[in-house]
Amino acid sequence: MLQLYIGNKNYSSWSMRPWVLLRQAGIPFEEVPVRFDSFDASSQFKRQLQGVSPTGKVPVLVDGDLTVWDTLAIAEYVAETFPDKQLWPQDMATRAHARSVVAEMHSGFAQLRSHCPMNIEAHLPEVGALAWRDRPGLRADVQRLVEMWSGLLTRHGGPLLFGAQFTVADAFFAPVCMRLKTYALPVPAEITAYVERVCALPGVKAWIDGALAEADFREFEEPYRLRRD
């Protein structure tokens, strides 16, 4: 069986992507949680990943003797291993478009990532409002996101980014949906509706439920709070 090494569900947006992809697609796997303590070389987190991940980061997918340690590479490997799940659109041109938006997420949106780190348990509209006021790069990232999602939903008719079929694209943007909710960032109604549809997907809801059950406050992940209530 596949093994997927992940970090804290409340914080680890990178771990969320392949976990949701596998769970929503109905692909069996063993979850191996690696709790964040710190990211120093001597941390328990780093020690647990020794011999598993050459980068010392999560997520990591292990399939027998094979290790895949990049989120996008994991998605491609899973899609190739389970072609019947149709995790990419079947049409070649549409598939290329889907890969483009996923790659953009994989390498872009740095301001959104930096100023609104994923924290599923929290409700931080006041933090979001300050970041929105003071960070033009954040506003630009959200504007690009709105343009992208609106165009895809219009072109493919929804309810997901590439139509009715759940794809890698929806899995990759699921953590962004979490950020939009946590920080109450201002987006149009059709974007809010897409966020709610993603949150209602069984695979995403299972991740959210796991995040809420952790009750594991990590100070270095939440510089804006003194504790988790």
Side-chain angles (χ1 to χ4, degrees), residues 23-184:
R23 183 67 175 264
Q24 184 64 25
I27 298 169
F29 68 99
E30 176 190 354
E31 172 187 316
V32 184
V34 187
R35 179 178 179 266
F36 292 161
D37 54 349
S38 79
F39 301 121
D40 295 335
S42 61
S43 66
Q44 179 61 33
F45 176 80
K46 292 293 187 181
R47 290 199 301 270
Q48 192 171 344
L49 288 173
Q50 261 186 344
V52 178
S53 168
T55 62
K57 298 178 181 179
V58 288
V60 183
L61 183 74
V62 177
D63 186 7
D65 295 331
L66 175 67
T67 299
V68 189
W69 61 88
D70 175 84
T71 309
L72 184 51
I74 292 171
E76 291 285 12
Y77 178 75
V78 170
E80 289 182 3
T81 304
F82 301 94
D84 58 305
K85 301 298 184 181
Q86 298 183 11
L87 297 176
W88 291 111
Q90 295 302 290
D91 174 72
M92 185 171 66
T94 306
R95 188 164 62 251
H97 192 180
R99 282 194 165 106
S100 294
V101 300
V102 166
E104 184 177 349
M105 180 67 255
H106 191 252
S107 62
F109 298 96
Q111 295 297 304
L112 177 60
R113 297 180 199 273
S114 175
H115 300 301
C116 298
M118 192 174 85
N119 189 335
I120 292 173
E121 176 273 338
H123 181 57
L124 302 168
E126 67 287 350
V127 176
L130 287 173
W132 188 262
R133 184 193 70 186
D134 297 337
R135 306 292 183 177
L138 170 64
R139 297 195 298 272
D141 275 358
V142 173
Q143 180 180 356
R144 169 59 189 145
L145 193 72
V146 168
E147 291 171 353
M148 177 197 292
W149 286 3
S150 296
L152 291 171
L153 292 168
T154 298
R155 180 179 304 179
H156 301 289
L160 301 175
L161 293 180
F162 286 88
Q165 179 72 23
F166 171 81
T167 67
V168 174
D170 300 295
F172 262 65
F173 284 107
V176 176
C177 294
M178 303 300 105
R179 288 177 162 100
L180 294 178
K181 285 177 67 70
T182 294
Y183 298 93

